[in-house]
Amino acid sequence: MEKWNQTLNDFILMGLLPQNQTGLLLLLLIIFVFVLACLGNSGMTALIFLDPRLHTPMYFLLSQLSLMDLMYISTTVPKMAINFLSGQKSISFLGCGVQMFFFVTIACSEGLLLASMAYDRFVAICYPLHYPVRMSKIMCLKMIIGTWILGSIHSLVHTIYALHLPYCRSRVINHFFCEVPTMLPLVCMDTWVYEYTIFGSTVIFLLLPFLGIMASYGRVLFAVFHMRSKEGRKKAFTTCSTHLTVVTFYYAPFVYTYLRPRSLRTPAEDKSLAVFYTILTPMLNPIIYSLRNKEVLGAIRRVWGMLSSRKK
């Protein structure tokens, strides 16, 4: 029997997996993905820190993406695994708030960071002579700090408001982590105004950056087609296609989930799509950036050689 011991302030997370042998096998697979994501993202961050040739704005931004992905998957998977293995599905009121805060912070910050990375490639390819000025290390640092601050402030507002709503109905959240839209059905007041606020936030922090990314890469592709150097064209295509792959994996499930009315969504759909942006994407990003990037592969060989020579 499952143990649902909780206080009146606790929430119940229904979870993602069934409490049977199939669920246990799927959990082991998710834990394997979690370990891969942690190793890949921490390895990418360390690689950029250790190799001086990667000390450029593009890779500084990439290191922040790896850090965000590491925090992303760590926000949801450990609690889900603990609840499944212990048989307890409860999460404290404070724990739910902390999980919500980090989830929304990283979701918003990553959307802004991906837009910053698109701007970096836009300036590098379309205005290469202006790149040292427009994307100086100071400007890069401002972009990074700005994404974290804006994401944190936005998240703090939503978290405080969501936790102050009157939850006088069931405390059962039909999800595997605390997410604001999945908690609104538990509120015993009309939330249509707040739902429109969430929609507006999604437009500002997800849709507008996405449109900016598409506009940047539209201009980049136009410039690439007019390049005379085949080698330069190939390198630009590789870099841009890598970033667009990451953008697609990140934005597609988010937009499909948050820009549709609640009446057109089901909890099963929300949980399935959440797996993409909370579990799979953090694992895939370092793989995509390393396998399709000669500079990263070269840095791996250099750092490996440096570490091997120190052991001798």
Side-chain angles (χ1 to χ4, degrees), residues 50 72 85 116 219:
L50 291 172
Y72 223 151
L85 295 173
S116 299
R219 182 67 179 84

Side-chain angles (χ1 to χ4, degrees), residues 95-244:
C96 192
V98 171
Q99 196 176 58
M100 192 190 310
F101 172 76
F102 280 106
F103 172 78
V104 177
T105 296
I106 299 164
C108 297
S109 298
E110 189 160 328
L112 297 174
L113 185 72
L114 289 172
S116 299
M117 294 172 73
Y119 176 76
D120 172 79
R121 292 300 85 199
F122 165 72
V123 176
I125 294 171
C126 299
Y127 301 97
L129 296 180
H130 297 172
Y131 185 79
V133 176
R134 290 195 183 185
M135 282 303 298
S136 63
K137 289 185 178 180
I138 297 297
M139 179 57 69
C140 181
L141 184 62
K142 288 180 180 179
M143 284 182 169
I144 291 170
I145 294 173
T147 58
W148 281 106
I149 290 177
L150 289 174
S152 298
I153 293 173
H154 175 257
S155 176
L156 187 63
V157 170
H158 276 284
T159 302
I160 292 174
Y161 184 81
L163 293 181
H164 279 80
L165 291 172
Y167 294 97
C168 54
R169 296 177 184 170
S170 169
R171 289 269 174 169
V172 178
I173 301 173
N174 196 355
H175 214 311
F176 60 93
F177 65 97
C178 291
E179 191 177 18
V180 175
T182 59
M183 296 174 68
L184 294 183
L186 311 182
V187 178
C188 56
M189 61 176 279
D190 195 349
T191 59
W192 69 271
V193 174
Y194 184 50
E195 288 181 41
Y196 274 109
T197 304
I198 294 174
F199 180 85
S201 298
T202 305
V203 170
I204 293 171
F205 282 91
L206 288 177
L207 188 58
L208 291 182
F210 177 74
L211 293 176
I213 291 170
M214 292 298 103
S216 295
Y217 278 111
R219 182 67 179 84
V220 165
L221 291 175
F222 180 79
V224 168
F225 277 122
H226 290 81
M227 282 184 177
R228 295 181 180 180
S229 168
K230 289 185 178 180
E231 185 64 29
R233 191 183 307 163
K234 183 180 178 181
K235 184 178 179 181
F237 265 124
T238 302
T239 304
C240 294
S241 62
T242 299
H243 188 211
L244 284 173

